């Protein structure tokens, strides 16, 4: 656990970090985010003592880092920066093994570690070990930057906008790798970015900073659900708040007039109605719109030609949701029940509308519906 | 040809003078490296003295060598010692200056990354700054050496010996073959040493800095 206690950093009369209190949990990614100049880098660099606070204390697992030997302290913390900063005169192997070299590991131990880490990011050691940084692409270079920080197996890794100089496709790939990596390794990662999408994607918790202070430190979900401050809301962006499934009510996006049929109609009539309206299921409702169940085209065809009526075939054990439920609940039903539609009903079980997969996709885009289980 | 005749008759003398020449240049350059590189490093650490030190060493550079010798003779007398001091001062500027610029040009991000990963100041110097700036420092040494081989010929004027002795005597005696027997080896020596240093520089510079693929 990493704790900031009343930490201030002044430059002359300017205050870069202002009486900061913060607790960073072990084993998860904490993202520091905020506008340019709000003190993210300064905060980060105080953790490995590249910057000393003007006042206050920082503790790692209860130990005041101000009382450690700074050089030794830094060797036990991984550090990755936007500029990548691989040493151009060293081979990839030498770059990765830098901290182990400083820690005087044996050549054999270093060599094994280098191979292990290169395999870890899918870069065959035979191909890459003896290359020099300029012989790698930007994305490959930053992969090396990341595993170099892991080399001596530190508990804490600091990353200052590590992916922001990369092209979008490479950036996404490295973000995915980082998430996966940390699911395996469980490092404490402090990650600085000014990209809110990146923060929402990576973070276990997000610290939103402004003018050297933390405005809110929370999980991405809580940040989106309850922005503590107008600034947070503004920073996250209103449209992004609206796109979050748990913030969208079903009444706002449901199909208000789904195609219905009475339980007393025949299956032939039901099929004709489906054909006419180009749908593959019908909402079965009694008079006054009381919801009975759902009739699908498959059910009709299974029983077809036996002169039955809708009430004999209708599925009544259908999951339904109230109008004020949110889209994320609907997504949960869709993914656990494996259904493509969820009827919306009032308290009196009157049919109000229908949510289908395709109506959701229109609202949320593909990514969210595929990951419906996240709700 | 008179030159060939002269060389055949005097190769012993010429060889001796060549060695003397190398000795003068060598001592001056080695001491200039020994003092200049640390001085160049030092002034990157203490920025406030960088300006004055570079200014002073470039003043030495602007004084014509004959005048410089002339000024020092009353204090140090003539001979090798005076010559070496002057040659040393001439060599100093390119070496100090290139060491200083070379190290200053190392990317601050590399130094930051090194420090952030737990390098000591000495390790930042030896593992990051010096390997990075080696080509620039070596270029300074090469310039200093080539200039110095030329200037050493003038040192013969104050009785320090070297190939310049043939040139000056030749001028006094109106003997062109003697002048050439001094001048041509001196020129060849400069070219050869420059090449040699080029090779050393190439060998010492990391492949990663040469921008070639393996
Ligand atoms: N060495 C310094 N001397 C003086 N002021 C500084 C110094 N370093 C940072 N600052 C100031 O401290 C404030 C915080 O800087 P910091 O680098 O932490 O911001 P940041 O949040 O990382 O910004 P960015 O997103 O642009 O990287 C800024 O106003 C900056 O100008
Ligand atoms: Mg920054």
């Amino acid at each position: 656990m990493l704790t900031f206690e009343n930490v201030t950093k002044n430059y002359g009369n300017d205050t870069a970090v202002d009486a900061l209190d913060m607790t960073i949990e072990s084993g998860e990614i904490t993202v520091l985010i905020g506008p340019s100049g709000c003190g993210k880098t300064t905060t980060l660099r105080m953790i490995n003592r590249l910057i000393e606070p003007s006042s206050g204390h920082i503790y790692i697992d209860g130990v005041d880092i101000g009382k450690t030997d700074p050089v030794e302290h830094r060797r036990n913390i991984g550090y990755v920066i936007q500029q990548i900063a691989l040493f151009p005169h060293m081979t990839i192997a030498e770059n990765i093994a830098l901290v182990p070299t400083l820690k005087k590991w044996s050549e054999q131990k270093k060599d094994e570690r280098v191979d292990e880490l290169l395999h870890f990011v899918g870069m065959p050691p035979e191909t890459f070990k003896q290359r020099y940084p300029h012989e790698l692409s930007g994305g490959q270079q930053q992969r090396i930057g990341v595993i170099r920080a892991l080399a001596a197996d530190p508990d804490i890794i600091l990353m200052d906008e590590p992916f922001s100089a990369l092209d979008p496709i490479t950036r996404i790939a490295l973000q995915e790798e980082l998430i996966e990596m940390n699911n395996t390794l469980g490092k404490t990662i402090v990650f600085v970015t000014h990209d809110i999408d990146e923060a929402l994607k990576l973070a276990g918790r997000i610290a939103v900073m402004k003018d050297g202070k933390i405005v809110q430190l929370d999980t991405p979900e809580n940040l989106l659900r309850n922005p503590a401050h107008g600034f947070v809301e503004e920073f996250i962006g209103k449209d992004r708040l609206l796109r979050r499934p748990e913030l969208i009510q079903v009444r706002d996006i449901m199909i208000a007039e789904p195609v219905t049929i009475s339980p007393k109609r025949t299956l032939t009539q039901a099929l004709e109605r489906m054909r006419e309206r180009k749908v593959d299921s019908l909402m079965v409702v009694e008079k006054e719109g009381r919801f009975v169940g759902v009739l699908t085209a498959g059910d009709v065809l299974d029983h077809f030609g036996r002169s039955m009526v809708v009430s004999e075939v209708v599925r009544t054990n259908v999951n339904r949701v109230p109008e004020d439920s949110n889209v994320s609940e609907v997504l949960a039903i869709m993914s656990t029940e494996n259904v493509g539609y969820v009827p919306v009903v009032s308290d009196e079980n009157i049919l109000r509308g229908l949510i289908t997969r395709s109506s959701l996709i229109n609202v949320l885009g593909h990514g969210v519906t595929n990951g419906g289980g996240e709700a | 040809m008179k030159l060939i005749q002269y060389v055949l008759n005097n190769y012993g003398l010429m060889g001796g003078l060549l060695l003397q020449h190398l000795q003068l240049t060598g001592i001056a350059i080695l001491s200039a490296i020994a003092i200049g590189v640390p001085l160049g490093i030092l002034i990157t650490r203490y920025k406030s003295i960088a300006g004055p030190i570079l200014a002073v060493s470039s003043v030495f550079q602007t004084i014509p060598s004959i005048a410089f010798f002339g000024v020092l003779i009353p204090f140090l007398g003539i001979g090798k010692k005076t010559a070496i001091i002057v040659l040393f001062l001439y060599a100093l500027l390119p070496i100090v200056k290139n060491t200083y610029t070379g190290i200053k040009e190392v990317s601050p991000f590399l130094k930051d990354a090194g420090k952030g990963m737990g390098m000591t100041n000495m390790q930042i110097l030896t593992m990051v700054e010096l390997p990075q700036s080696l080509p620039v420092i070596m270029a300074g040494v090469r310039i200093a050496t080539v200039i110095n081989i030329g200037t050493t010929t003038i040192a013969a004027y104050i009785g320090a010996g070297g190939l310049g002795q043939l040139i000056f005597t030749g001028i006094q005696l109106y003997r062109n073959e003697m002048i050439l027997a001094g001048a041509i080896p001196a020129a060849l020596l400069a070219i050869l040493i420059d090449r040699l240093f080029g090779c050393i520089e190439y060998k010492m510079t990391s492949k990663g800095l040469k921008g070639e693929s393996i």
Side-chain angles (χ1 to χ4, degrees), chain A residues 22-223:
Chain A
M22 162 167 78
T23 297
I24 289 172
E25 302 294 340
S26 298
E28 67 174 25
I29 303 180
T30 299
V31 172
L32 302 181
I33 193 168
S36 187
C38 69
K40 306 180 292 292
T41 297
T42 307
T43 304
L44 193 77
R45 287 162 63 87
M46 286 194 287
I47 299 173
N48 63 359
R49 298 190 64 187
L50 286 174
I51 297 176
E52 296 291 348
S54 306
S55 64
H57 298 273
I58 301 170
Y59 301 91
I60 293 178
D61 296 329
V63 177
D64 185 346
I65 66 166
K67 299 203 166 70
T68 61
D69 169 44
V71 167
E72 198 48 45
H73 174 69
R74 289 180 199 125
R75 289 178 187 172
N76 295 322
I77 294 181
Y79 185 48
V80 187
I81 58 178
Q82 179 185 349
Q83 296 78 10
I84 307 178
L86 297 183
F87 298 111
H89 58 286
M90 296 183 188
T91 61
I92 297 308
E94 288 166 342
N95 267 287
I96 297 171
L98 194 100
V99 180
T101 302
L102 298 177
K103 287 180 162 239
K104 303 199 164 53
W105 288 17
S106 72
E107 288 303 318
Q108 193 198 337
K109 194 174 166 200
K110 285 197 284 189
D111 200 52
E112 285 167 8
R113 184 65 175 150
V114 167
D115 286 3
E116 183 187 357
L117 288 166
L118 280 169
H119 280 304
F120 197 53
V121 287
M123 294 172 72
E126 321 76 75
T127 316
F128 288 101
K129 252 163 112 165
Q130 295 314 318
R131 289 211 191 165
Y132 285 92
H134 76 265
E135 295 166 324
L136 268 55
S137 71
Q140 289 171 333
Q141 289 185 22
Q142 194 56 301
R143 279 190 185 89
I144 303 299
V146 172
I147 59 176
R148 181 173 69 172
L150 292 169
D153 206 18
D155 295 328
I156 298 175
I157 298 168
L158 310 178
M159 307 181 110
D160 196 345
E161 304 194 29
F163 305 147
S164 55
L166 303 173
D167 66 87
I169 292 172
T170 312
R171 178 161 60 233
I172 288 168
L174 268 88
Q175 289 167 345
E176 302 287 347
E177 285 173 31
L178 185 69
I179 294 170
E180 205 153 298
M181 190 182 288
N182 219 42
N183 288 342
T184 329
L185 302 177
K187 301 287 180 191
T188 305
I189 297 181
V190 188
F191 189 107
V192 167
T193 182
H194 52 240
D195 175 355
I196 182 73
D197 286 313
E198 185 168 64
L200 291 169
K201 185 168 175 184
L202 297 179
R205 296 201 307 157
I206 298 177
V208 182
M209 292 187 68
K210 180 179 191 265
D211 302 333
K213 288 183 154 66
I214 289 181
V215 185
Q216 186 171 7
L217 174 59
D218 225 326
T219 61
E221 290 72 29
N222 282 338
L223 211 64

Side-chain angles (χ1 to χ4, degrees), chain B residues 97-144:
Chain B
K97 199 173 156 187
N98 279 39
T99 305
Y100 175 76
T101 4
I103 288 187
K104 275 201 57 157
E105 274 170 10
V106 174
S107 155
F109 298 118
L110 291 182
K111 291 184 269 188
D112 185 67
K115 189 172 180 194
M117 286 189 287
M119 288 186 185
T120 61
N121 286 337
M122 191 46 105
Q123 285 167 332
I124 293 173
L125 178 68
T126 57
M127 297 175 78
V128 183
E129 291 176 307
L130 285 178
Q132 283 281 304
S133 50
L134 190 82
V136 186
I137 297 175
M138 281 302 287
V141 173
R142 275 168 81 172
I143 296 167

